[in-house]
Amino acid sequence: MCLIVAKPKGKKNALTKEKFVRAATRNPHGIGIVYNDGNGLKEQKFVDVKDKLDDIYKIIENADSYLIHFRYATHGNKDLGNVHPFKVTDNLYVAHNGVLSKYPELNKEWSDTKNFVEGVIKPYVEKHGEDSIKNPDFIKWLEEEIGSGNKMVFVDKDMNFTIANEGAGSWIDDCWFSNTYSVEEPKKWDTYNYTSSYPIWNNYNYGSYGSYGNYDDYGYYDDYGYYDRGEFTKEEIINFVADNIEDGFTSSYEDI
């Protein structure tokens, strides 16, 4: 179901490395970042992220402000062209979390969001100007059009954010998260339900990621529900997490 995180200027980065890895694992189909490097808005997008997490996180770790999107594909190809945020103009980008049930399907290879941006958002902005997305009447219309289960975040060249359905997300330490289940630690009693084919780590975010935390925190539930701590090696833990970043977990996110 994707995740958006918006970090306003001068605020603490609430997307810790631990939360970043969890978000990337649960939303394995691309990461996109927009920030201002002093020369206007700059975007960086990635689709094969499992070997790049350290490098990607460095982009936002000390950034004054950023908009980041973790994609879980529901429509369209799993490629770079469908990774959010999407460019509306040189000075305006947008990211979406949710599933759009009605949208102009201009291209079957595009995601629902990209079709909506190309078919609705861009024509509106071209007609009314970039600042039109900040109009309360436009935001009210957009919220009604996409429904309360969808969230959209616009960011301009000055890293000002405009959020549709802001109340459906959460402010955590001055950063806005479109959901919290993408970054929360999984409950022990849910971890075995991800798949029946592989042992599941009780806490697969492995601490701070760089140091891989305390390996005694990892283990698995056998077929009888028995939890065995400290069973696996560092290499097995890393390989398992990497595999799931590529393939995506299959559990119900509502249970996490």
Side-chain angles (χ1 to χ4, degrees), residues 196-245:
S196 60
S197 303
Y198 298 96
I200 302 302
W201 322 115
N202 175 52
N203 183 4
Y204 63 85
N205 55 283
Y206 46 93
S208 64
Y209 177 68
S211 62
Y212 301 99
N214 181 346
Y215 304 118
D216 289 338
D217 288 340
Y218 300 93
Y220 71 99
Y221 290 92
D222 62 20
D223 291 336
Y224 303 98
Y226 176 75
Y227 179 67
D228 186 5
R229 300 179 67 84
E231 177 76 15
F232 300 98
T233 66
K234 170 182 173 180
E235 182 178 359
E236 288 173 320
I237 293 170
I238 297 171
N239 288 340
F240 178 80
V241 173
D243 287 343
N244 279 280
I245 288 174

Side-chain angles (χ1 to χ4, degrees), residues 123-252:
Y124 179 87
V125 171
E126 287 174 0
K127 182 177 181 179
H128 299 284
E130 294 168 351
D131 288 340
S132 64
I133 58 95
K134 301 177 183 179
N135 187 318
D137 290 337
F138 169 75
I139 293 300
K140 181 180 179 181
W141 171 84
L142 182 60
E143 290 174 342
E144 292 174 351
E145 182 71 13
I146 65 178
S148 59
N150 288 276
K151 290 141 277 189
M152 281 192 176
V153 182
F154 296 87
V155 61
D156 66 18
K157 62 182 177 61
D158 297 316
M159 297 306 296
N160 296 313
F161 300 105
T162 303
I163 305 174
N165 287 321
E166 178 179 347
S170 300
W171 285 94
I172 302 174
D173 293 334
D174 296 320
C175 292
W176 187 81
F177 289 68
S178 62
N179 64 66
T180 57
Y181 54 75
S182 287
V183 296
E184 290 173 348
E185 181 178 347
K187 299 174 182 177
K188 290 183 180 179
W189 53 84
D190 289 328
T191 53
Y192 193 70
N193 294 328
Y194 286 124
T195 175
S196 60
S197 303
Y198 298 96
I200 302 302
W201 322 115
N202 175 52
N203 183 4
Y204 63 85
N205 55 283
Y206 46 93
S208 64
Y209 177 68
S211 62
Y212 301 99
N214 181 346
Y215 304 118
D216 289 338
D217 288 340
Y218 300 93
Y220 71 99
Y221 290 92
D222 62 20
D223 291 336
Y224 303 98
Y226 176 75
Y227 179 67
D228 186 5
R229 300 179 67 84
E231 177 76 15
F232 300 98
T233 66
K234 170 182 173 180
E235 182 178 359
E236 288 173 320
I237 293 170
I238 297 171
N239 288 340
F240 178 80
V241 173
D243 287 343
N244 279 280
I245 288 174
E246 181 174 275
D247 299 333
F249 287 126
T250 58
S251 71
S252 170

